[in-house]
Every structure is written in structure tokens, then in C-alpha cells.
């Protein structure tokens, strides 16, 4: 009788940053700015085709992972709302409100979650995909620094919330500044495309820098409170 051979588990395929940028930013921007005129797709079909790329990307991410990612789900919802507001030719101010509302909700949820047993900081930064949390918890208990670390998690949560609130303000300002033409026009589509293109350098980069600041702060506190080197507690990829 042949013995079963244990096959090593294949790691989930890593997300391609280039593909992410192409489908979520570059291709929609090009379609909205260059192919929304009457001689090409037209204003309505330009919006439909441009927004189809990030929607399909988000749905495929769900199919590939097999579970609902809250951020991906809200991203797809946000794109649907943008398309709906544009196709219904509603006032562009609703897009600005929507752009500000979603990150603001994340910021509020991060702060409110501190009052629960499941603070979101453990989802964003302090989780077993990044750190050996059991090893950290054991070292904190041994050193008697559990309360001090809880305070560090609270501070990191406020920094995370700040990154979301910053994103909310920048989202709103960018939408109000760029979306000045009536929906249903080629000019509006071009402005929507420009907003999509600028969302990464104007919004994502500053918010990411704040988030990275929270990460470095938390890592420095862990190192100080546990007396462990980061190489000893980081998950080795």
C-alpha cells in the first residue's frame, strides 16, 4: 500500500501592484479622459466601461480569496455609487460627499472599536500576518508591560484614524476642486478621470505615510516593552 505524501500548501498568489494600478487607476483614467467623446464611447458608456475595470478587479479578488474583504467590498460599493451618481446626472457634490464619507466612516469605526473587544488596530497593524502575536504577548506578560502596550495600541489607533480623516478631507477637497462641469458631459468625464489619476499621489500617499508612522510607532513600542528584536517577532515571508 502506497503511503500518502503530504503536499506542501501552496501560498496564495500575491496581488500584483502593477495590475492593481492599471485596472484601478490607469485604464479608467485613459477611458474617461480620452474615450468619452461622442466619436468614441460617449459620456455614459465611457463611465460604464471605465468603472467596469475596478469593479471586475474587486469581484475577482473576492472570487480568488473566497472571503469578503471589507475594504474591497466598500471599494466596489464606492465605484458603484460614483457610476450611479454620474449616470443619473446628479449634482457632483454628492460624489464629493461620498468620497469624504467612506474614509471618515473608517476613521470613526477605528476610534469606536477601542471600546469593544476587537479594536481595528489589531486588524490593520497588530495581527498574525505581520507579527508573532503570541510571542509578543508572552514577552509583554513576562515583563509586566501589558497595560503599557494597551496604551500603545490606543495611540496607534488614533494615528490610524487620523490617516482616514486626512484621506476624507483630501478626497472631498479634490472632488470639489475638479468636478465643476455638469454630469453627462464629456468635460465631466474628463474631470472624473483626472480625479481618479490624482487620487493616488494626492490622497493615498499622504494617508499611507501617516499609516506607516503608526506602524513604526507600534513596532518601536513593542521592541521597547518586550526587549525583543523585530527580526525575532516579524513573520518571515
Amino acid at each position: 500500500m502506497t503511503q500518502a505524501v503530504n503536499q506542501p500548501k501552496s501560498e496564495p498568489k500575491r496581488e500584483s501592484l502593477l495590475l492593481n494600478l492599471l485596472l484601478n487607476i490607469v485604464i479608467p483614467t485613459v477611458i474617461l479622459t480620452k474615450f468619452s467623446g461622442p466619436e468614441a464611447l460617449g459620456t455614459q458608456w465611457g463611465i460604464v466601461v471605465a468603472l467596469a475595470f475596478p469593479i471586475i478587479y474587486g469581484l475577482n479578488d473576492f472570487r480568488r480569496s473566497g472571503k469578503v474583504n471589507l475594504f474591497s467590498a466598500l471599494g466596489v460599493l464606492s465605484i458603484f455609487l460614483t457610476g450611479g451618481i454620474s449616470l443619473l446626472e446628479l449634482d457632483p457634490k454628492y460624489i464629493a460627499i461620498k468620497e469624504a464619507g467612506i474614509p471618515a466612516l473608517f476613521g470613526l469605526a477605528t476610534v469606536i472599536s477601542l471600546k469593544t473587544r476587537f479594536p481595528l488596530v489589531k486588524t490593520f497593524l497588530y495581527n498574525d500576518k505581520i507579527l508573532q502575536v503570541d510571542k509578543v504577548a508572552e514577552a509583554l506578560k513576562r515583563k509586566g508591560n501589558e497595560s503599557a502596550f494597551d496604551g500603545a495600541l490606543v495611540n496607534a489607533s488614533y494615528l490610524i484614524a487620523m490617516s482616514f480623516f486626512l484621506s476624507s478631507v483630501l478626497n472631498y477637497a479634490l472632488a470639489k476642486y475638479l468636478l465643476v462641469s455638469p454630469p453627462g458631459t464629456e468635460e465631466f468625464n474628463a474631470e472624473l478621470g483626472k480625479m481618479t489619476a490624482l487620487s493616488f499621489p494626492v490622497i493615498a500617499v499622504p494617508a499611507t505615510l501617516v499609516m506607516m508612522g503608526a506602524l513604526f510607532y507600534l513596532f518601536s513600542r513593542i521592541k521597547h516593552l518586550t526587549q525583543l528584536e523585530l527580526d525575532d517577532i516579524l513573520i518571515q515571508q
Side-chain angles (χ1 to χ4, degrees), residues 118-141 146 149-150 152-154 156-157 160 211 214-215 218-219 221-223 226 228 233-235:
F118 306 103
L120 284 176
V121 66
K122 292 188 177 181
T123 299
F124 298 133
L125 302 181
Y126 184 62
N127 60 69
D128 56 11
K129 292 182 180 178
I130 301 175
L131 297 166
Q132 299 182 52
V133 292
D134 291 339
K135 191 173 183 178
V136 173
E138 183 183 341
L140 288 169
K141 186 175 182 179
E146 292 170 297
F149 182 65
D150 287 340
L153 285 178
V154 170
S157 294
I160 293 170
M211 184 75 81
L215 183 64
L218 189 61
F219 280 4
R221 294 302 294 156
I222 289 174
K223 184 177 178 181
T226 64
L228 295 172
I233 58 175
L234 286 172
I235 296 293

Side-chain angles (χ1 to χ4, degrees), residues 24 34 36 104-105 111 140 147 170 182 229:
N24 287 300
K34 303 296 183 184
S36 291
L105 285 175
V111 175
L140 288 169
S147 296
L170 293 175
E229 294 298 324

Side-chain angles (χ1 to χ4, degrees), residues 71 103-116 118-122 124 153-165 211:
F71 290 98
L105 285 175
F106 273 118
L108 288 172
T110 301
V111 175
I112 293 171
S113 72
L114 289 172
K115 303 296 183 181
T116 72
F118 306 103
L120 284 176
V121 66
K122 292 188 177 181
F124 298 133
L153 285 178
V154 170
N155 292 336
S157 294
Y158 285 126
L159 286 172
I160 293 170
M162 189 186 304
S163 75
F164 285 125
F165 292 138
M211 184 75 81

Side-chain angles (χ1 to χ4, degrees), residues 12-33:
K13 191 176 180 181
R14 290 182 179 275
E15 183 182 33
S16 167
L17 178 60
L18 178 59
L19 187 63
N20 189 320
L21 292 175
L22 278 174
L23 295 180
N24 287 300
I25 296 178
V26 177
I27 293 176
T29 298
V30 172
I31 292 173
L32 287 168
T33 55

Side-chain angles (χ1 to χ4, degrees), residues 71-106:
F71 290 98
S72 297
L74 281 176
V76 172
L77 175 62
S78 175
I79 295 164
F80 268 118
L81 288 174
T82 298
I85 292 168
S86 303
L87 292 174
L88 292 173
E89 300 183 9
L90 302 178
D91 193 308
K93 71 180 181 183
Y94 293 114
I95 291 182
I97 293 170
K98 184 269 301 180
E99 289 290 310
I102 290 179
L105 285 175
F106 273 118

Side-chain angles (χ1 to χ4, degrees), residues 28 30-51 86-87 89 183-190 192:
V30 172
I31 292 173
L32 287 168
T33 55
K34 303 296 183 184
F35 297 99
S36 291
E39 71 284 354
L41 292 170
T43 55
Q44 291 194 338
W45 275 109
I47 290 174
V48 171
V49 174
L51 298 186
S86 303
L87 292 174
E89 300 183 9
T185 63
E186 187 178 350
E187 291 77 14
F188 175 81
N189 281 21
L192 193 61

